[in-house]
Amino acid sequence: MALKPSDIPLPATGPNRFHYWANPAPKDIGETCAEFLHLLPGPTYIYITGKDPQRARVVVTLSHGNEPSGLHAIFEILKQNIEPAVDIHCFIPSVDAAKQSPGFIYRTLPHHRDFNRCFKPPFDIDEQGLLALELLQYLLTIKPECLLDVHNTSGSSPPFGVTTFMDEGHNALVSLFTHRMIITDLQLGSLMEISEALTPAVTIECGGALDAESANVAFDGLKRFIMFEDVLTDGHSDLMLEFFHNPLRLELQEGSDIAYGDHCLFEDGVTLLPDIENHNFGTVDATCLLGYVSGDLTNVLSAKDSEGNERINDFFELRDGQLFPAKVLKLFMVTSNPEIARKDCLLYFVEAELPRN
Ligand SMILES: [Zn+2]
């Protein structure tokens, strides 16, 4: 079930988890994004006054400490003293994870929940849940006209947007950054799932955390988001959006493990080819070797649809221990980081639409 305003308890008196910083001056934010990060004492809420203070938009970034492009973009916007069209409220949650040496390596602190899975009750089970709740409570007060949640993919990838909704407002928000748009009905407790209840919200994946182009994608898009009078109607871009509907997640089964290599490395698990992330937004067919599985496919991998039905055998097959797509698929958010594959998923996929003549 999507989150409802009634699921968000009113603020209790207690510590503010977000440190508030209003209108940081260019001279006060350090010389580099890394210096800026180290000036933040923990989760931070930055407010920037806009030309029209009757209106507000929200940016959330660094929900994952290893995804720096959004913070980079905020740093540049502050450094260049860009005046927003409306009030901008920036929330930067995973500062402590990002600060862990050597910087921007940890998605979360060890033993912490993934912050972008915490936007659903119950909130009061840990610090991450309470931080997510505090952000939601701010949104109820700020009443923004829209919200961006800015991320990077862990693997190399072109940029794309993700939304739970398909309408003009959501399309317009994504097209500030990219023409690729994923529409999902998976309910994972991510921030963008508030779209129905609170305000139009989209996730922007600016490209791989290590891809040089990602910081530019984030900065150019965020600059449009804060400077344009209107970001919710089509017309600020002539990009033709490319839609990907209801992707499935390829996940590890309990008790199986993953590695990356060019031959089978496991008794009970999957070995994916080391260059698998080159398939991001590419099309793969039944001739495309993805890796190796020892044992039964259903014991090792899982791909459930939004109703929870197991669909792995509809989309993937084993031939002599080699893993292939069973039909033509488009893959994205492919990771070659075993930690993320274990905790989150190996990749997302949709069935590719065949060209119509
Ligand atoms: Zn992320």
Side-chain angles (χ1 to χ4, degrees):
M1 280 294 288
L3 187 80
K4 303 185 294 297
S6 58
D7 293 328
I8 305 170
L10 292 170
T13 48
N16 285 336
R17 290 178 166 80
F18 281 96
H19 299 265
Y20 182 69
W21 193 359
N23 295 307
K27 66 176 175 38
D28 294 337
I29 61 169
E31 292 305 316
T32 63
C33 181
E35 281 184 35
F36 178 44
L37 172 69
H38 284 274
L39 289 168
L40 307 178
T44 302
Y45 167 11
I46 289 177
Y47 164 73
I48 313 170
T49 309
K51 287 185 188 131
D52 181 356
Q54 305 301 314
R55 296 166 59 196
R57 297 174 195 156
V58 168
V59 181
V60 180
T61 197
L62 212 66
S63 286
H64 297 136
N66 59 343
E67 300 176 6
S69 291
L71 187 72
H72 216 277
I74 290 172
F75 171 77
E76 283 298 327
I77 278 161
L78 293 171
K79 207 67 186 168
Q80 297 182 23
N81 223 350
I82 294 170
E83 190 185 19
V86 305
D87 279 4
I88 301 292
H89 303 257
C90 306
F91 291 88
I92 308 169
S94 296
V95 170
D96 296 329
K99 276 185 183 174
Q100 297 297 304
S101 179
F104 297 117
I105 295 295
Y106 286 89
R107 184 178 173 91
T108 62
L109 288 172
H111 314 298
H112 280 55
R113 279 196 295 156
D114 181 332
F115 185 67
N116 205 27
R117 299 289 179 268
C118 295
F119 292 92
K120 62 178 176 195
F123 296 104
D124 58 352
I125 50 174
D126 57 13
E127 197 50 38
Q128 294 286 82
L130 290 167
L131 191 65
L133 173 60
E134 190 174 301
L135 203 167
L136 291 170
Q137 289 165 340
Y138 277 122
L139 296 182
L140 289 179
T141 315
I142 296 166
K143 298 190 173 60
E145 55 191 34
C146 52
L147 177 149
L148 290 181
D149 187 14
V150 182
H151 291 250
N152 290 105
T153 49
S154 53
S156 183
S157 168
F160 58 95
V162 192
T163 165
T164 51
F165 244 72
M166 208 170 74
D167 63 13
E168 185 182 9
H170 291 79
N171 297 356
L173 286 172
V174 168
S175 66
L176 295 166
F177 290 81
T178 168
H179 69 281
R180 296 178 197 86
M181 181 153 171
I182 293 166
I183 300 106
T184 175
D185 54 12
L186 290 175
Q187 299 279 336
L188 302 169
S190 72
L191 177 56
M192 70 177 169
E193 293 162 32
I194 64 165
S195 250
E196 206 169 333
L198 296 179
T199 189
V202 300
T203 299
I204 303 292
E205 299 280 356
C206 299
L210 301 176
D211 295 344
E213 189 51 29
S214 302
N216 297 336
V217 170
F219 175 68
D220 292 345
L222 200 60
K223 195 170 155 191
R224 292 181 198 110
F225 178 74
I226 73 169
M227 292 186 74
F228 285 3
E229 272 302 309
D230 174 11
V231 290
L232 290 169
T233 47
D234 283 338
H236 52 241
S237 159
D238 49 15
L239 291 177
M240 279 286 290
L241 285 172
E242 186 182 2
F243 296 102
F244 302 87
H245 291 276
N246 288 326
L248 278 73
R249 292 156 53 86
L250 181 65
E251 298 178 79
L252 279 182
Q253 288 285 19
E254 284 278 317
S256 57
D257 205 357
I258 181 163
Y260 294 83
D262 51 17
H263 59 275
C264 186
L265 293 168
F266 274 121
E267 283 296 310
D268 285 304
V270 56
T271 309
L272 293 183
L273 295 181
D275 60 355
I276 181 112
E277 64 186 39
N278 291 346
H279 292 301
N280 266 316
F281 285 96
T283 303
V284 293
D285 63 20
T287 66
C288 181
L289 176 66
L290 301 172
Y292 309 88
V293 170
S294 49
D296 197 18
L297 182 58
T298 50
N299 291 337
V300 175
L301 292 173
S302 167
K304 293 200 173 106
D305 62 23
S306 57
E307 270 94 57
N309 304 310
E310 184 56 71
R311 303 286 305 278
I312 186 78
N313 286 319
D314 296 340
F315 296 105
F316 295 92
E317 64 189 17
L318 286 187
R319 290 179 232 142
D320 295 332
Q322 297 186 322
L323 177 68
F324 291 94
K327 43 181 74 164
V328 183
L329 303 177
K330 279 211 175 199
L331 309 184
F332 42 91
M333 293 190 85
V334 183
T335 187
S336 52
N337 178 333
E339 198 59 27
I340 289 170
R342 281 181 208 115
K343 282 188 177 159
D344 193 27
C345 66
L346 287 62
L347 53 85
Y348 287 71
F349 64 92
V350 291
E351 199 168 339
E353 282 170 34
L354 297 171
R356 271 166 282 183
N357 294 317

